[in-house]
Amino acid sequence: MAHVPNPRPAGDFRTSYGADQTLFRTRLEGRATVLIVAGLLLVPLVADIGVLSQLILIGIYGIAALGLNVLVGMTGQISLGHGAFFGFGAFASAWIASQGIPVLLAIPLAGLMTTAVGMIFGLPAARLKGLYLAIATLASQFILQDFFARAAWFTGGPYGSLAETASLFGLALNSDQRYFYLVLFWVVVSYIAVANLARTRDGRALVAVRDHYLSAEIMGINLTRYRVMAFGISSFFAGIGGALYAHYLGFVSAEGFTILLSIEFLAMIIIGGLGSVAGSILGTAFILLLPQVMEVFAGALAALFPAIAQGSAYIKQMSVGAAIILFLVLEPEGLIHRWRRMRASWKLFPFSH
């Protein structure tokens, strides 16, 4: 019988804690991630303004969705006010920059301010869960919306607020080509930070709180601390995303941060995959691109059925709700689960089953 040297294992085996806590599951996955980031560095050199604008928005919303996934996916808490925290970060960064602080420093400071606000509203999480917590976070959405409309010194009130242009060493980041790199920097930093958080003791404690809070408490995990901390982490990334959004548009207004935005953030993490770091960006891209795909689809149908042209706006809005329902029924674990199954099938080809 012939000897087969170094046979490859037929599964995913982890024989040590070190192997279980690696940032990437395989070397190929790590190299592919590096290549993707390197490829994105070249995008502004070849892509048109429309593509760059979409990528910038996907990156901005993807950072905020990542924060919500830490709260909902990793910790099992619910929030219906994430859009308001996103807006608070936008207004906070615009206000900080107006005080003479550089925009690049105002962005993380806005994230810290939003963290403080998020932890205050997260205090009810110490005693509430499920529907009651959802109602409490819904209240935070409306409280902050009212604050945006009334605090003219901070938000400009009904007139909105101007956000200064970011600059680096005197170079104004006033074009999509330049601003893309700032957003990409924060996307990489944010996703690496959360991926590492999931491997730490605190990250495992957050997951324990989600899976069985009574067992976690018996093991010595402080439920109040980790639930409030999850709200703080979630709000920090919402604030960073909001700050980047403000300085990208150059103007922020309270009308852009309604309950509908909070629902869209929930849709992003549900469709991408709850608790998945990579799923957050996949879900964000899906939600942002879906209305445009539906608009093209509605336009094609309007050529055959002219009456559809009048309802194209409703079709775009309904598509998000329909996507949430379909994913909850057909693929509750999100796009990331489908991607993992496809990858496993390729690895076993031609013996996949």
Side-chain angles (χ1 to χ4, degrees), residues 314-328:
Y314 300 102
I315 293 175
K316 290 166 60 178
Q317 294 177 358
M318 290 187 296
S319 63
V320 176
I324 295 175
I325 295 173
L326 289 174
F327 269 90
L328 287 175

Side-chain angles (χ1 to χ4, degrees), residues 247-272:
H247 296 292
Y248 177 59
L249 295 184
F251 177 81
V252 282
S253 176
E255 288 78 10
F257 311 111
T258 63
I259 184 65
L260 293 178
L261 180 60
S262 296
I263 294 174
E264 285 186 356
F265 279 127
L266 279 173
M268 291 173 188
I269 63 172
I270 290 172
I271 291 174

Side-chain angles (χ1 to χ4, degrees), residues 91-260:
F91 283 117
S93 188
W95 178 77
I96 292 171
S98 69
Q99 308 303 308
I101 297 177
V103 171
L104 296 184
L105 183 58
I107 291 173
L109 288 177
L112 293 176
M113 286 182 63
T114 312
T115 300
V117 173
M119 293 180 75
I120 292 173
F121 282 107
L123 289 176
R127 294 186 175 274
L128 299 177
K129 60 180 180 178
L131 177 61
Y132 300 100
L133 180 58
I135 298 300
T137 57
L138 181 62
S140 70
Q141 170 74 38
F142 291 112
I143 290 172
L144 287 177
Q145 278 187 233
D146 187 67
F147 174 76
F148 296 157
R150 296 177 184 273
W153 61 272
F154 184 71
T155 66
Y159 304 104
S161 178
L162 294 174
E164 297 184 13
T165 302
S167 62
L168 178 63
F169 302 120
L171 178 65
L173 306 180
N174 54 2
S175 66
D176 285 3
Q177 287 83 356
R178 295 175 181 176
Y179 202 79
F180 175 85
Y181 290 111
L182 177 61
V183 174
L184 180 61
F185 167 79
W186 277 108
V187 168
V188 172
V189 169
S190 301
Y191 276 74
I192 289 178
V194 174
N196 277 293
L197 172 65
R199 302 187 301 146
T200 64
R201 179 181 182 276
D202 289 334
R204 294 177 183 272
L206 292 175
V207 175
V209 172
R210 177 198 67 189
D211 290 343
H212 205 295
Y213 69 95
L214 289 177
S215 299
E217 190 172 22
I218 292 172
M219 293 170 61
I221 294 175
N222 189 322
L223 299 184
T224 300
R225 174 193 172 192
Y226 282 103
R227 284 172 174 171
V228 175
M229 185 179 75
F231 270 92
I233 295 172
S234 173
S235 300
F236 175 78
F237 289 112
I240 293 294
L244 290 169
Y245 181 76
H247 296 292
Y248 177 59
L249 295 184
F251 177 81
V252 282
S253 176
E255 288 78 10
F257 311 111
T258 63
I259 184 65
L260 293 178

